[in-house]
Amino acid sequence: MAILYFVTGALAMGLEAQGHGSVYAQNWAFYATTFCLFLVFAFPGFVFRYLWHAPRKAAAE
């Protein structure tokens, strides 16, 4: 999960540098907030894949 967060951040930094010419400096609160949002937005996919979708496969067998 952390690797995917850093890959997404690197992509965003590249797009920002290309669009604005430079990357704006951020402090720790920005990264803590974006990581928490990354976890929140990933949670529905986790529920679908492991908690909701997996029991249906076991019941079908």
Side-chain angles (χ1 to χ4, degrees):
M1 182 70 73
I3 293 170
L4 197 58
Y5 173 74
F6 287 119
V7 168
T8 304
L11 178 66
M13 287 178 71
L15 290 173
E16 184 179 7
Q18 183 181 10
H20 295 284
S22 65
V23 177
Y24 296 106
Q26 303 293 340
N27 58 8
W28 68 270
F30 172 80
Y31 296 108
T33 303
T34 55
F35 187 71
C36 288
L37 286 172
F38 193 78
L39 289 176
V40 166
F41 290 134
F43 187 70
F46 171 79
V47 169
F48 179 75
R49 180 170 180 159
Y50 294 108
L51 301 180
W52 186 58
H53 200 62
R56 292 165 127 201
K57 286 182 181 178
E61 294 175 354

